[in-house]
Amino acid sequence: MWPALTGLSAVFLVEMLDNSILNVALPTIGRQFAASATTLQWVTGAYSVVFGGLMLAFGALADRVGRRKVMLTGLVLLGLASLATVAVTAAWQLIAVRALMGVAAAMTTPGSLALAFRLFPGDRLRVRATTLISTVGIVGLAVGPTAGGLVLAIAPWQVLLLVNVPIAALAFVGIRAGIPADDPGGLHRDPIDGIGAALGTATIVLALLAPTFFVEAGAAAVLPWLTIAAALIAGAGFVVRQRTARYPLLDLHLIARPLVSSGLALKAAATLATAGLGYLVTLHLQFGLGWSPAEAALGMLPQVVVLIAGGAVITPLITRVGLTKAAWLSATAVVCGLAVYSALGPFGYAGIALALALVAAGMRVVGVVAGNNVMRGLPENRTTIGAALIDTAGEVTTGIGIALSGTILAAIAPGALTAPPILAFTYAGVALTVLSAALVGWGILRSRRPEPS
């Protein structure tokens, strides 16, 4: 099993490491290519938008042609796209390379959870495997910026993307050696719904673009609202298509299953809270408390420490209370963390640190448990698209969390964001708390309903 675990962990490491390690190089890239702030944003945004937009389509494809096959193809594409970095001579070329990496990530990431679920029988082994895989990724997320900064001191920025090549090669070898090819009996042969895939991709891409437009242009601009309207129209078209198509891309009856819908809601609440709180605290420490960027980075350590160390409590907690109650408790901890930030954040760093720790603890558990619950609620031949749903929910709500926080700050403190009042952070925290609490409450209510036979 160790080759398989090594390969799957390497896949998740690439996803977590990718943007975090590249962010530190953006100033260097901007100087080399004389790139604007908007161009630099697309260097990271192109990856996220393509990744989020294509996960459902590739998840559906993997459930039909083979999860292992799609993942191995994605790893080859990732290695080739990363190697192409050495030939980049302009910012638009780098954006294109990042988009190709997003395609590769959409092919590989959902399959990691689906293959882990298929490889290990029983909830306890699946939780242990998922905890190990996610811990490797979270360590990469935590050390990425520091490692990237050290590398930039002695090497060009291209090295930060070339590191994907050996990791992708390790993942390829581990998965090929440790995971057998998919059993045809565990796949399904329904034709791919091309129209549904196009509408679903358009909905997710527009939903991911809208938060960026809100932060950049502000709530008074027309473009963000047009983007939201287009996302809603595409989303409505997707739902109608899935309800009427003979072979839908995504069977909506499966999403309505209690384990699936509750798991997605709890996962969405946790990622919304983590992204929104991280955005607020970074600004709060610098603009509200007057900390330097380096001090603000150190101020995020409670979150990093809990995310890394929290893996040790997942299995004992699940053994004691079960998967469903563990999901409830961890999601509730996320909401409590946001409430603590809203209530105590204005009074100093102690409240902020406690909030970071609570949200990180909840996120660490719910990230594993909610994913396993979604997979448990799906037929075996739909597990990859289920994993894609989990990742898509995380991508979309991450954007919503940042956009909601940024829009509230901009509304209360219009103009340059140099000294927003402390109350602005409180109002944004309250908004995040209410939205996360609504998702958690709905998720808990859904999980109490009986599963269909």
Side-chain angles (χ1 to χ4, degrees):
M1 294 298 183
W2 284 109
L5 278 175
T6 301
L8 295 174
S9 299
V11 169
F12 197 60
L13 175 62
V14 170
E15 181 194 350
M16 293 291 100
L17 190 64
D18 202 81
N19 266 337
S20 69
I21 198 172
L22 187 64
N23 283 341
V24 72
L26 291 180
T28 303
I29 294 170
R31 287 191 294 269
Q32 178 175 334
F33 297 133
S36 65
T38 301
T39 300
L40 289 179
Q41 183 175 357
W42 277 107
V43 168
T44 56
Y47 173 90
S48 299
V49 169
V50 172
F51 174 38
L54 291 178
M55 273 191 290
L56 281 181
F58 278 120
L61 179 66
D63 279 335
R64 288 162 170 80
V65 304
R67 303 162 188 95
R68 179 175 176 266
K69 183 185 298 183
V70 171
M71 178 174 280
L72 292 176
T73 304
L75 288 170
V76 172
L77 177 60
L78 174 64
L80 293 175
S82 301
L83 281 173
T85 306
V86 299
V88 165
T89 58
W92 70 266
Q93 295 173 352
L94 179 57
I95 292 172
V97 166
R98 296 290 294 154
L100 281 176
M101 291 181 178
V103 175
M107 298 174 74
T108 57
T109 301
S112 61
L113 179 56
L115 287 172
F117 190 85
R118 183 169 70 95
L119 194 62
F120 297 95
D123 291 336
R124 181 172 295 184
L125 283 178
R126 286 166 178 166
V127 167
R128 287 180 177 176
T130 308
T131 300
L132 173 62
I133 292 168
S134 62
T135 299
V136 172
I138 287 171
V139 169
L141 179 66
V143 306
T146 302
L150 294 174
V151 169
L152 283 178
I154 59 174
W157 63 266
Q158 287 89 341
V159 173
L160 300 183
L161 293 181
L162 289 174
V163 74
N164 288 336
V165 177
I167 298 176
L170 176 64
F172 186 95
V173 171
I175 291 168
R176 186 169 177 82
I179 299 177
D182 288 85
D183 179 2
L187 305 174
H188 65 94
R189 301 301 179 186
D190 295 348
I192 286 282
D193 176 19
I195 296 175
L199 287 170
T201 297
T203 302
I204 297 164
V205 167
L206 290 167
L208 290 171
L209 288 175
T212 300
F213 293 154
F214 268 108
V215 173
E216 283 189 346
V222 175
L223 180 60
W225 296 106
L226 285 178
T227 307
I228 284 183
L232 291 174
I233 292 170
F238 177 75
V239 171
V240 171
R241 174 68 184 180
Q242 300 315 291
R243 288 187 178 277
T244 57
R246 182 178 179 185
Y247 300 108
L249 180 79
L250 179 63
D251 187 345
L252 298 181
H253 292 97
L254 295 179
I255 300 179
R257 291 186 175 189
L259 274 175
V260 178
S261 56
S262 64
L264 291 174
L266 298 180
K267 172 70 172 180
T271 52
L272 173 87
T274 304
L277 183 65
Y279 178 80
L280 287 176
V281 168
T282 301
L283 298 178
H284 191 160
L285 294 178
Q286 296 180 65
F287 296 143
L289 301 185
W291 292 19
S292 68
E295 290 170 332
L298 292 175
M300 300 296 289
L301 280 177
Q303 182 183 59
V304 174
V305 171
V306 172
L307 282 173
I308 294 175
V313 306
I314 295 176
T315 299
L317 177 64
I318 292 171
T319 301
R320 185 175 181 82
V321 303
L323 278 168
T324 300
K325 288 186 179 179
W328 297 354
L329 290 172
S330 56
T332 302
V334 168
V335 176
C336 290
L338 289 175
V340 166
Y341 174 76
S342 303
L344 302 182
F347 300 104
Y349 178 69
I352 295 173
L354 178 59
L356 287 170
L358 280 171
V359 170
M363 175 62 183
R364 189 68 179 90
V365 178
V366 82
V368 173
V369 177
N372 273 276
N373 279 347
V374 171
M375 305 300 277
R376 288 167 58 214
L378 291 171
E380 289 188 5
N381 62 2
R382 297 294 195 280
T383 52
T384 311
I385 198 167
L389 276 171
I390 298 166
D391 288 327
T392 301
E395 286 289 314
V396 172
T397 49
T398 291
I400 291 173
I402 294 172
L404 178 63
S405 304
T407 301
I408 291 175
L409 291 182
I412 296 175
L417 190 63
T418 54
I422 290 295
L423 275 180
F425 296 105
T426 299
Y427 291 147
V430 169
L432 289 173
T433 305
V434 170
L435 184 53
S436 291
L439 286 168
V440 170
W442 189 80
I444 291 175
L445 288 175
R446 288 292 302 170
S447 66
R448 294 175 68 89
R449 299 184 63 175
E451 284 292 314
S453 57

